[in-house]
Amino acid sequence: MIAPWIAPSILSANFAKLGEEVKAVLDAGADSIHFDVMDNHYVPNLTIGPLVCEALRNYGITAPIDVHLMVRPVDRIIPDFAKAGASWITFHPEASEHVDRTIGLIREHGCHPGLVFNPATPLSWLDYTLDKVDMILLMSVNPGFGGQRFIASALEKLRQARTRIAASGREIRLEIDGGVKVDNIGEIAAAGADTFVAGSAIFGAKDYRATITAMREQIAKATGRLSNS
């Protein structure tokens, strides 16, 4: 059984002291770090590239780095992020000309591949890819900006994705991204998520450890499983 992970998104961190911020959330109990990579083309915003990932590795960050590519095309940038220290690389199937090839490219470069589904993207892509991916990331907001409100229909989509994963017999992480907070993370966990991206809910809190601990308590209450184990 996959242990639940809490993955703070650095999109909401203070970039003037990013290394310190990332170390602080990891010291407070986070399991991995989530990178939101936007290109001002596939989504209407521009964020970070491989150099930031490499800088965090050079700073001494050893935790898994989960790179979410909101870019089109995706294949060109994958080797750069792998070289920079990414652990997981996920992408949107609509942004790839050949989804199987992109999944294979990620794995060939030593990273765990995953697919990302926007709120209106059907899970039918998994009919052809479930045996090849290590992560499914469901967006519970429309991608492009942090701090948005959770879209409730994502809960049913999580349940459907969890059913598919169970039927596959494979260990595949089911990640949720968008509007995740202490007061809804239990419901999200009960619907099937095991990896929780939270940006403003963590980096906007005065006490990182208290917030992450509260999230873990809600996950355990909803599922009977402790994260970070």
Side-chain angles (χ1 to χ4, degrees):
M1 183 177 291
I2 295 177
W5 277 3
I6 293 176
S9 168
I10 65 170
L11 187 63
S12 299
N14 181 347
F15 272 74
K17 51 178 183 177
L18 186 58
E20 296 172 40
E21 287 267 84
V22 170
K23 184 178 185 302
V25 293
L26 290 170
D27 288 346
D31 303 287
S32 63
I33 296 300
H34 188 79
F35 261 55
D36 286 307
V37 181
M38 306 181 192
D39 66 353
N40 196 33
H41 176 63
Y42 180 70
V43 292
N45 203 353
L46 184 65
T47 57
I48 52 179
L51 288 177
V52 177
C53 183
E54 183 179 19
L56 287 178
R57 289 302 192 203
N58 290 339
Y59 185 79
I61 300 302
T62 59
I65 292 179
D66 163 25
V67 174
H68 171 198
L69 296 178
M70 289 167 273
V71 303
R72 182 192 287 130
V74 297
D75 290 6
R76 165 62 187 83
I77 201 75
I78 286 168
D80 295 343
F81 266 106
K83 184 178 179 181
S87 311
W88 303 72
I89 298 179
T90 60
F91 68 98
H92 295 254
E94 304 97 326
S96 170
E97 293 294 328
H98 303 282
V99 173
D100 279 353
R101 185 175 296 163
T102 302
I103 292 171
L105 182 64
I106 294 169
R107 199 175 292 283
E108 286 164 16
H109 281 81
C111 298
H112 294 283
L115 284 185
V116 188
F117 294 84
N118 287 331
T121 302
L123 293 177
S124 56
W125 288 93
L126 295 174
D127 294 345
Y128 310 97
T129 59
L130 191 59
D131 61 332
K132 303 177 181 70
V133 298
D134 295 336
M135 178 181 282
I136 297 167
L137 168 53
L138 301 188
M139 296 301 298
S140 43
V141 298
N142 287 294
F145 299 94
Q148 298 183 66
R149 186 183 299 273
F150 183 86
I151 296 174
S153 60
L155 294 172
E156 176 57 28
K157 204 169 186 179
L158 277 170
R159 288 187 278 268
Q160 293 174 12
R162 176 52 62 193
T163 298
R164 285 175 176 259
I165 291 170
S168 77
R170 299 184 65 237
E171 284 203 345
I172 301 171
R173 283 202 168 271
L174 180 53
E175 186 170 44
I176 191 77
D177 183 1
V180 176
K181 302 180 184 303
V182 172
D183 61 6
N184 65 6
I185 198 169
E187 186 178 19
I188 293 167
D194 54 41
T195 307
F196 307 86
V197 177
S200 57
I202 293 177
F203 284 110
K206 292 182 179 180
D207 188 329
Y208 296 162
R209 182 173 295 278
T211 300
I212 292 171
T213 298
M215 287 180 167
R216 292 199 191 288
E217 290 171 351
Q218 292 301 314
I219 293 168
K221 188 182 299 183
T223 65
R225 291 192 293 155
L226 292 174
S227 52
N228 200 26
S229 59

